[in-house]
Amino acid sequence: MPNERLRDAILRNGLTPVVVAEKIGVDAKTVERWITQDRTPYPRHRHAIAAIVREDVPYLWPDAVTPEKASQIGQSEMIQLYSRRSSVPYDLWRRLIERATKRIDVLAYAGLFLLEQDPRLVDVLRQKGIDGVPVNILLGDPASAAIERRSVEESAPGVMAAKIRQVQHSYNRLDGAPGVKVLYHDTTLYNSIYRFDDEMLVNMHVLGFPAPHAPVMHLRKLNGGDLFRTYSDSFDRVLDVSKPRQGDEVAA
């Protein structure tokens, strides 16, 4: 069977097999065979093509990377492990946000600390949206059972909902900003996820410990790895079930 994913990725980027062949230094007929006969290129060619068409190697060639190899690559995706979120340097958060050019994703219950450590954050996010960077902010629904359960687990009933309502006042300023979405979810979070292009900070949730005292992984996406993709897919699943706050849909 032909490799339709590869064919589509090449065409979607305005390329042809001949152009791809020239870019990676192979014969055009070789690229045609990779497409029409679903032959698997050598690893160096797989990575080169994936970079050209801006897709992941496992997406283009699902059987090319074994689970064992993906796990090995995944280990290299971890740049740093912080024992607690409060140890993550503020400069790192600022650098990741300011340098993002493809996407900014935030999945948390409240994420109040982001606003506390940078009062300019809302203005920065608005400008990112204007500049064409999609921004997705997923907050917990303050009326959901998952939010109150988290507060009780931290021995502070009602506190989490109060934090969410506090950040709502700031994020309300993003209403109408192009490319910026602020949505709400009622899922049980096992991690808070902060993605900036191909880098990510994952704040683990630990029963009985507030998020600032829980570990954080700093990840950078590598082609063929499965660790970054695991959390990226998790974000997308929550995004699929998140909704505007009550009243937004009617107003729209």
Side-chain angles (χ1 to χ4, degrees):
M1 294 181 61
N3 188 332
E4 296 296 348
R5 291 184 178 183
L6 178 58
R7 188 200 307 274
D8 175 72
I10 291 174
L11 294 176
R12 191 168 4 100
N13 283 273
L15 304 173
T16 66
V18 173
V19 173
V20 172
E22 292 175 349
K23 286 180 176 292
I24 64 175
V26 300
D27 189 271
K29 292 183 179 179
T30 299
V31 178
E32 288 284 359
R33 286 193 289 270
W34 291 340
I35 298 173
T36 60
Q37 301 177 28
D38 195 18
R39 294 191 179 181
T40 303
Y42 290 122
R44 66 179 184 276
H45 293 144
R46 292 200 300 265
H47 289 289
I49 293 174
I52 292 170
V53 300
R54 294 173 290 184
E55 289 288 357
D56 292 335
V57 168
Y59 171 78
L60 296 173
W61 298 280
D63 299 326
V65 181
T66 65
E68 293 76 13
K69 182 62 175 177
S71 180
Q72 291 176 2
I73 298 174
Q75 294 176 34
S76 298
E77 290 183 306
M78 184 185 296
I79 299 174
Q80 181 72 43
L81 176 64
Y82 298 92
S83 60
R84 54 180 58 198
R85 193 187 71 200
S86 56
S87 300
V88 180
Y90 164 68
D91 285 347
L92 176 59
W93 291 99
R94 183 177 61 184
R95 176 179 65 82
L96 293 176
I97 293 171
E98 292 182 350
R99 292 187 182 181
T101 60
K102 294 183 293 184
R103 62 188 294 175
I104 294 177
D105 295 329
V106 173
L107 169 60
Y109 279 143
L112 177 60
F113 75 97
L114 287 174
L115 294 164
E116 290 178 331
Q117 68 183 11
D118 187 357
R120 303 177 304 109
L121 178 64
V122 171
D123 294 330
V124 171
L125 294 178
R126 174 182 288 275
Q127 187 60 50
K128 286 291 181 180
I130 294 173
D131 293 341
V133 181
V135 178
N136 292 297
I137 301 172
L138 310 184
L139 303 174
D141 180 349
S144 71
I147 295 302
E148 183 56 21
R149 183 164 55 248
R150 178 65 177 174
S151 293
V152 171
E153 290 171 352
E154 294 184 0
S155 301
V159 169
M160 188 61 70
K163 288 182 178 179
I164 295 170
R165 293 190 174 97
Q166 184 176 349
V167 302
Q168 281 180 321
H169 290 298
S170 295
Y171 286 137
N172 283 346
R173 292 162 47 202
L174 290 171
D175 288 352
V180 180
K181 294 180 181 178
V182 180
L183 304 174
Y184 295 84
H185 64 89
D186 59 3
T187 58
T188 299
L189 288 189
Y190 302 98
N191 304 275
S192 293
I193 299 172
Y194 307 89
R195 179 175 180 177
F196 314 96
D197 292 348
D198 291 337
E199 293 190 57
M200 182 185 294
L201 293 169
V202 179
N203 189 183
M204 306 172 196
H205 288 192
V206 181
L207 182 64
F209 286 84
H213 301 288
V216 170
M217 292 186 295
H218 181 189
L219 307 178
R220 180 176 295 158
K221 179 181 177 182
L222 294 177
N223 232 315
D226 60 2
L227 185 58
F228 187 100
R229 188 170 68 250
T230 294
Y231 290 102
S232 179
D233 290 347
S234 178
F235 179 91
D236 290 340
R237 283 193 290 272
V238 180
L239 176 61
D240 287 341
V241 298
S242 295
K243 302 176 181 179
R245 68 175 184 263
Q246 290 185 352
D248 283 5
E249 294 174 307
V250 175

mmCIF file of all heavy atoms in Angstrom, residues 85-102:
data_model
loop_
_atom_site.group_PDB
_atom_site.id
_atom_site.type_symbol
_atom_site.label_atom_id
_atom_site.label_comp_id
_atom_site.label_asym_id
_atom_site.label_seq_id
_atom_site.Cartn_x
_atom_site.Cartn_y
_atom_site.Cartn_z
ATOM 1 N N ARG A 85 8.256 22.687 41.689
ATOM 2 C CA ARG A 85 8.019 23.746 40.707
ATOM 3 C C ARG A 85 8.632 25.069 41.125
ATOM 4 O O ARG A 85 9.089 25.857 40.282
ATOM 5 C CB ARG A 85 6.513 23.931 40.499
ATOM 6 C CG ARG A 85 6.181 24.782 39.254
ATOM 7 C CD ARG A 85 4.711 25.072 39.177
ATOM 8 N NE ARG A 85 4.288 26.017 40.216
ATOM 9 C CZ ARG A 85 3.040 26.165 40.635
ATOM 10 N NH1 ARG A 85 2.090 25.403 40.130
ATOM 11 N NH2 ARG A 85 2.750 27.059 41.571
ATOM 12 N N SER A 86 8.670 25.326 42.416
ATOM 13 C CA SER A 86 9.223 26.580 42.894
ATOM 14 C C SER A 86 10.711 26.707 42.596
ATOM 15 O O SER A 86 11.278 27.805 42.708
ATOM 16 C CB SER A 86 8.983 26.723 44.400
ATOM 17 O OG SER A 86 9.512 25.605 45.103
ATOM 18 N N SER A 87 11.360 25.586 42.185
ATOM 19 C CA SER A 87 12.786 25.624 41.846
ATOM 20 C C SER A 87 13.037 25.953 40.377
ATOM 21 O O SER A 87 14.177 26.184 39.983
ATOM 22 C CB SER A 87 13.444 24.275 42.185
ATOM 23 O OG SER A 87 13.332 23.980 43.558
ATOM 24 N N VAL A 88 11.980 25.957 39.571
ATOM 25 C CA VAL A 88 12.142 26.267 38.150
ATOM 26 C C VAL A 88 12.450 27.758 38.018
ATOM 27 O O VAL A 88 11.675 28.597 38.491
ATOM 28 C CB VAL A 88 10.870 25.931 37.359
ATOM 29 C CG1 VAL A 88 11.060 26.261 35.874
ATOM 30 C CG2 VAL A 88 10.505 24.467 37.535
ATOM 31 N N PRO A 89 13.569 28.124 37.391
ATOM 32 C CA PRO A 89 13.928 29.545 37.288
ATOM 33 C C PRO A 89 12.870 30.353 36.538
ATOM 34 O O PRO A 89 12.348 29.909 35.515
ATOM 35 C CB PRO A 89 15.250 29.524 36.506
ATOM 36 C CG PRO A 89 15.772 28.137 36.660
ATOM 37 C CD PRO A 89 14.572 27.248 36.760
ATOM 38 N N TYR A 90 12.584 31.514 37.039
ATOM 39 C CA TYR A 90 11.622 32.392 36.364
ATOM 40 C C TYR A 90 12.083 32.714 34.949
ATOM 41 O O TYR A 90 11.273 32.802 34.016
ATOM 42 C CB TYR A 90 11.445 33.690 37.161
ATOM 43 C CG TYR A 90 10.784 34.785 36.358
ATOM 44 C CD1 TYR A 90 9.452 34.682 35.961
ATOM 45 C CD2 TYR A 90 11.515 35.908 35.946
ATOM 46 C CE1 TYR A 90 8.856 35.665 35.192
ATOM 47 C CE2 TYR A 90 10.922 36.898 35.189
ATOM 48 C CZ TYR A 90 9.593 36.779 34.818
ATOM 49 O OH TYR A 90 9.009 37.753 34.054
ATOM 50 N N ASP A 91 13.395 32.877 34.768
ATOM 51 C CA ASP A 91 13.920 33.196 33.439
ATOM 52 C C ASP A 91 13.585 32.121 32.424
ATOM 53 O O ASP A 91 13.453 32.422 31.231
ATOM 54 C CB ASP A 91 15.437 33.396 33.500
ATOM 55 C CG ASP A 91 15.831 34.727 34.121
ATOM 56 O OD1 ASP A 91 14.937 35.582 34.275
ATOM 57 O OD2 ASP A 91 17.019 34.905 34.456
ATOM 58 N N LEU A 92 13.478 30.869 32.867
ATOM 59 C CA LEU A 92 13.121 29.784 31.946
ATOM 60 C C LEU A 92 11.688 29.951 31.470
ATOM 61 O O LEU A 92 11.413 29.843 30.265
ATOM 62 C CB LEU A 92 13.299 28.430 32.623
ATOM 63 C CG LEU A 92 12.867 27.210 31.794
ATOM 64 C CD1 LEU A 92 13.647 27.133 30.489
ATOM 65 C CD2 LEU A 92 13.044 25.925 32.610
ATOM 66 N N TRP A 93 10.771 30.206 32.382
ATOM 67 C CA TRP A 93 9.381 30.441 31.980
ATOM 68 C C TRP A 93 9.309 31.605 30.985
ATOM 69 O O TRP A 93 8.658 31.506 29.941
ATOM 70 C CB TRP A 93 8.522 30.769 33.201
ATOM 71 C CG TRP A 93 8.293 29.644 34.158
ATOM 72 C CD1 TRP A 93 8.957 29.416 35.326
ATOM 73 C CD2 TRP A 93 7.336 28.586 34.024
ATOM 74 N NE1 TRP A 93 8.464 28.288 35.941
ATOM 75 C CE2 TRP A 93 7.465 27.758 35.168
ATOM 76 C CE3 TRP A 93 6.380 28.265 33.068
ATOM 77 C CZ2 TRP A 93 6.676 26.634 35.376
ATOM 78 C CZ3 TRP A 93 5.591 27.142 33.258
ATOM 79 C CH2 TRP A 93 5.735 26.333 34.394
ATOM 80 N N ARG A 94 9.978 32.691 31.304
ATOM 81 C CA ARG A 94 9.930 33.873 30.445
ATOM 82 C C ARG A 94 10.516 33.584 29.068
ATOM 83 O O ARG A 94 9.942 33.980 28.044
ATOM 84 C CB ARG A 94 10.682 35.026 31.109
ATOM 85 C CG ARG A 94 10.627 36.333 30.307
ATOM 86 C CD ARG A 94 11.317 37.455 31.059
ATOM 87 N NE ARG A 94 12.733 37.145 31.298
ATOM 88 C CZ ARG A 94 13.536 37.926 32.006
ATOM 89 N NH1 ARG A 94 13.080 39.027 32.572
ATOM 90 N NH2 ARG A 94 14.799 37.595 32.172
ATOM 91 N N ARG A 95 11.652 32.877 29.035
ATOM 92 C CA ARG A 95 12.283 32.568 27.749
ATOM 93 C C ARG A 95 11.375 31.704 26.889
ATOM 94 O O ARG A 95 11.202 31.959 25.689
ATOM 95 C CB ARG A 95 13.616 31.854 27.979
ATOM 96 C CG ARG A 95 14.291 31.402 26.690
ATOM 97 C CD ARG A 95 15.615 30.715 26.950
ATOM 98 N NE ARG A 95 15.466 29.470 27.685
ATOM 99 C CZ ARG A 95 15.128 28.309 27.111
ATOM 100 N NH1 ARG A 95 14.870 28.245 25.800
ATOM 101 N NH2 ARG A 95 15.033 27.208 27.818
ATOM 102 N N LEU A 96 10.782 30.679 27.482
ATOM 103 C CA LEU A 96 9.933 29.774 26.711
ATOM 104 C C LEU A 96 8.720 30.499 26.150
ATOM 105 O O LEU A 96 8.320 30.271 25.000
ATOM 106 C CB LEU A 96 9.499 28.598 27.582
ATOM 107 C CG LEU A 96 10.614 27.635 28.015
ATOM 108 C CD1 LEU A 96 10.066 26.568 28.958
ATOM 109 C CD2 LEU A 96 11.275 26.981 26.807
ATOM 110 N N ILE A 97 8.119 31.369 26.945
ATOM 111 C CA ILE A 97 6.935 32.101 26.488
ATOM 112 C C ILE A 97 7.298 33.088 25.388
ATOM 113 O O ILE A 97 6.651 33.144 24.331
ATOM 114 C CB ILE A 97 6.274 32.835 27.667
ATOM 115 C CG1 ILE A 97 5.683 31.827 28.664
ATOM 116 C CG2 ILE A 97 5.182 33.786 27.173
ATOM 117 C CD1 ILE A 97 5.211 32.442 29.958
ATOM 118 N N GLU A 98 8.350 33.854 25.609
ATOM 119 C CA GLU A 98 8.693 34.912 24.660
ATOM 120 C C GLU A 98 9.213 34.364 23.337
ATOM 121 O O GLU A 98 9.014 34.977 22.290
ATOM 122 C CB GLU A 98 9.719 35.853 25.289
ATOM 123 C CG GLU A 98 9.143 36.676 26.447
ATOM 124 C CD GLU A 98 10.148 37.642 27.035
ATOM 125 O OE1 GLU A 98 11.355 37.530 26.674
ATOM 126 O OE2 GLU A 98 9.758 38.505 27.845
ATOM 127 N N ARG A 99 9.863 33.195 23.351
ATOM 128 C CA ARG A 99 10.443 32.643 22.121
ATOM 129 C C ARG A 99 9.465 31.781 21.330
ATOM 130 O O ARG A 99 9.776 31.378 20.208
ATOM 131 C CB ARG A 99 11.693 31.836 22.457
ATOM 132 C CG ARG A 99 12.856 32.679 22.959
ATOM 133 C CD ARG A 99 14.106 31.840 23.103
ATOM 134 N NE ARG A 99 15.233 32.604 23.616
ATOM 135 C CZ ARG A 99 16.447 32.112 23.816
ATOM 136 N NH1 ARG A 99 16.688 30.833 23.541
ATOM 137 N NH2 ARG A 99 17.421 32.864 24.292
ATOM 138 N N ALA A 100 8.316 31.473 21.898
ATOM 139 C CA ALA A 100 7.364 30.605 21.206
ATOM 140 C C ALA A 100 6.879 31.259 19.914
ATOM 141 O O ALA A 100 6.478 32.423 19.911
ATOM 142 C CB ALA A 100 6.186 30.294 22.118
ATOM 143 N N THR A 101 6.924 30.513 18.830
ATOM 144 C CA THR A 101 6.478 31.019 17.535
ATOM 145 C C THR A 101 5.428 30.127 16.884
ATOM 146 O O THR A 101 4.813 30.517 15.894
ATOM 147 C CB THR A 101 7.671 31.139 16.561
ATOM 148 O OG1 THR A 101 8.276 29.836 16.388
ATOM 149 C CG2 THR A 101 8.712 32.111 17.085
ATOM 150 N N LYS A 102 5.191 28.919 17.459
ATOM 151 C CA LYS A 102 4.254 27.984 16.832
ATOM 152 C C LYS A 102 3.023 27.701 17.678
ATOM 153 O O LYS A 102 1.931 27.545 17.163
ATOM 154 C CB LYS A 102 4.969 26.658 16.519
ATOM 155 C CG LYS A 102 6.060 26.779 15.471
ATOM 156 C CD LYS A 102 6.676 25.436 15.147
ATOM 157 C CE LYS A 102 7.455 24.868 16.312
ATOM 158 N NZ LYS A 102 8.159 23.590 15.970
#
